[in-house]
Amino acid sequence: MQQLLQYLGSGETRLEEVPAPVGRGGVVVVRAVRSLVSAGTERMLVDFGRSGWLGKARQQPEKVREVVRKVRVNGLGATWAAVRSKLAQPIGLGYCHVGVVAGTGGEFREGERVVCNGSHAEVVAVSERLCARVPEGVADEDAAFTPLAAIALEGIDLLGVGRGDRVVVMGLGLIGQLAVRLLVGRGCEVMGWDPSGERREMARLVGAVIPEGVDLVGAVHGWTDGQGAAGVLITASTASHEPVSQAARGCGRRGKVVLVGVVGLLLNRADFYRREVAFQVSCSYGERTHVGPGSVRANFETVLGEMAAGRLKVDDLVTARYAFSEAPAAYDRLTRDKSALGLVLEYGRGLGEIGGAELRLGEPEGHGPLVALVGAGNFGVRSLLPAMMGLDPRPRLEVVVSNQGYHAMLAARQFGGGRAVTDPGAEFAAGSVFLCTRHDGHAREALRYLRAGKSVWVEKPLALLSADVDAVVGAARESGKCLMVGFNRRFAPAAVALRRAVAGRGGKKRFRADINAGRLDPDHWTLDPAVGGGRIVGEACHWVDLARYLVGSPLVSVRCERRDRDGQDGGCFTLRFADGSEAVIDYRTDLPATVAKESIELSGEGWRGEIANWARLRTEGLGGVAWGSRWSKAPRKGHPEAISAFLAASGGQGPVPIPLEEIAEVSHVAIVMQGMREGDCRELTCGSDP
């Protein structure tokens, strides 16, 4: 099938052949009939992509500051490579999609018409929560406006206005025009404001008051007899801070300003103070986690109900129509014609012509063993595959499997792969599988591939439940195949050199890892107990394994010294080993980005070694053992070495990279740590489930 992609690095917008998505639990597969180009959001993305490096920096100064911080910590070379890699990954455009259900196991029936937030593609797979049935009598083209109208509706609901209230809409692009119509239908009196005379006239024709002159605040107070508006909805897109100031000064006592668009946010307290004006930012088209009031589906259904009742008309908002095969031309117009509003894409191919869940690209490049990648997210594509394809001999990437067809296609094409597949049950000849999916699927998928006779690399964690750890380790023993967890740090040159230097030294060891993990978005899937399991089991397990490797003794107890309560899942833990050694892992989420991500220290009687962010190893009392340059900041965390060891073992040409007993031990301990509260202490049974 075809999907429209925007390449942010080059600015090119083009159609790509990608494998079609397949259905799975909670997901609806929809064959496209119409989709709508969002003139605001998508024009902004296209303009960003077509700008040069300096233009990109000017548009996203906060990203520039982030890059500068990373340079200070990781060095210029590593940071520049990361930036180029990120910009090389295109994004799927669009979120206003109408089509026919082609497959589902849930509440939608095959053949039903639905609107969803799917991208511009011939077939999309979206969550059931982000779909709504299109009523009889609502045309496909009209229904395509639903997500944009839902964005306007969410902002209006936050304003809390009703019949007779006077409301100002600032910015009369597509969302602004839809907001005017929804407010008029609600019985509000509306004033519309936009620099474009054409857009002001369009709003006037559907019932908005259009002020004369350029003094918006004065016009609002004149219109309201000095009382001020009940609310102002900002749907404009500009870097200027003036719209928020004007909106606040135009509000009446305890009025409300709701931002739907993208504007400068340098707020002036005085603008809000005198009349106790409230300010709120709207979050797209509604709540995504449920289907009740205020949800995406509820907002979609409200908009569709207004269309079905004839109270919301959108046909005059269509600027032009394009066949989907001509979609790049629509985006060219979007950037040339700033007055363009609704650009509709029409899909003509039948379902039988769309293509299946597999795209063949040719013979895999390389001369090494055949491998498969399951899960083409950021880590797999930006870290694992580059490290893998830098090996000699280079492994041959037989297949990339991903729910997102274009992610699978791009990864396979970039790294010389043979096939891109969206079907998780796809068969392949490769004897080694790299699992980079979300954490809740690791154990299930590892079991399936081990039982199919494959060697399996599982990106940490191995599992979220202790019973699943035992099941996977048991399957590995039974199959005789290699099971590896992505504990790459024990293979890093600095760690290997330090372990070799302390080998044979008696006495207790003291290990300390200070981790600057950073903050995640509160809705990030890693923080979801059911999906990601949490950051301790999902990431802090790295340093449990590193401590186990460097100390070289089984774990016997763990104590939780601190557990953060800011929703970011940080904490500090003390682990004790059978030989009396001790490890402290301080997983911090509240440190500035300028602080190095990792600082590792191992010490004993008369000696000490320190690993500085995996760029340098310095020691005292160990015969001058050192690694790395004092001038280098580029981390080497052991990915190529770990992958090489796994592939050698999988091919019967090397030892097991990590003993199964240690994989099980570390995985069990990380699960215990995830569930601990401050002050908890647990005794562990060496080598078994704690």
Side-chain angles (χ1 to χ4, degrees), residues 360-445:
R360 292 187 175 272
L361 300 172
E363 287 299 314
E365 298 176 10
H367 303 285
L370 280 175
V371 298
L373 177 71
V374 179
N378 286 339
F379 179 80
V381 173
R382 296 181 190 172
S383 297
L384 206 60
L385 283 179
M388 189 187 310
M389 296 308 159
L391 299 177
D392 186 18
R394 169 181 168 148
R396 290 174 294 153
L397 183 59
E398 179 189 357
V399 62
V400 178
V401 183
S402 175
N403 291 331
Q404 295 291 334
Y406 79 92
H407 286 168
M409 178 275 295
L410 290 166
R413 190 167 68 185
Q414 180 180 353
F415 294 99
R419 292 187 290 153
V421 177
T422 53
D423 182 2
E427 296 184 355
F428 46 81
S432 301
V433 184
F434 290 80
L435 290 180
C436 295
T437 54
R438 291 191 172 184
H439 301 167
D440 60 328
H442 284 184
R444 179 181 65 254
E445 293 155 355

Side-chain angles (χ1 to χ4, degrees), residues 508-647:
K508 300 176 183 179
K509 300 180 181 70
R510 291 178 294 278
F511 171 94
R512 184 176 181 92
D514 290 295
I515 312 304
N516 180 14
R519 298 186 67 81
L520 296 177
D521 186 293
D523 295 326
H524 196 282
W525 63 268
T526 303
L527 295 170
D528 183 341
V531 180
R535 301 181 75 177
I536 302 301
V537 69
E539 187 179 22
C541 57
H542 260 313
W543 297 282
V544 178
D545 177 74
L546 181 64
R548 179 66 176 83
Y549 169 72
L550 291 175
V551 170
S553 177
L555 289 152
V556 295
S557 72
V558 58
R559 177 180 172 83
C560 180
E561 309 292 351
R562 187 194 76 251
R563 204 63 197 273
D564 300 338
R565 300 181 181 180
D566 60 355
Q568 288 293 311
D569 211 15
C572 182
F573 303 84
T574 297
L575 301 106
R576 297 190 185 279
F577 297 82
D579 68 353
S581 296
E582 182 177 285
V584 175
I585 298 173
D586 195 359
Y587 187 85
R588 298 281 298 275
T589 63
D590 58 349
L591 296 175
T594 51
V595 175
K597 181 175 173 59
E598 299 179 46
S599 177
I600 311 296
E601 182 178 320
L602 185 70
S603 61
E605 187 174 349
W607 59 268
R608 176 179 175 273
E610 182 179 0
I611 299 172
N613 206 36
W614 297 105
R616 296 188 306 279
L617 166 66
R618 293 292 178 267
T619 64
E620 299 172 13
L622 291 173
V625 171
W627 178 86
S629 164
R630 65 178 297 181
W631 305 112
S632 173
K633 293 184 178 181
R636 283 189 59 185
K637 299 182 181 179
H639 291 110
E641 295 84 357
I643 294 168
S644 181
F646 168 68
L647 292 176

Side-chain angles (χ1 to χ4, degrees), residues 154-163 165 167 186 188 230 256 258:
E154 180 72 6
I156 291 169
D157 286 344
L158 291 177
L159 281 177
V161 293
R163 180 170 298 277
D165 286 332
V167 183
R186 189 172 283 198
C188 297
K256 194 169 190 179
V258 171

Side-chain angles (χ1 to χ4, degrees), residues 31-61:
R31 175 171 57 89
V33 177
R34 297 287 188 276
S35 64
L36 176 71
V37 176
S38 169
T41 305
E42 297 186 62
R43 179 183 285 125
M44 181 173 62
L45 287 171
V46 173
D47 287 346
F48 176 82
R50 293 184 177 182
S51 61
W53 288 102
L54 184 58
K56 287 180 170 67
R58 285 173 174 167
Q59 291 181 56
Q60 295 194 340

Side-chain angles (χ1 to χ4, degrees), residues 4 6 10 166 191 193 196 335 450 459 493 567 599 635:
L4 190 67
Q6 174 67 36
S10 65
R166 293 191 170 185
M191 175 179 281
W193 176 257
S196 166
T335 57
L450 285 168
E459 253 319 302
S599 177

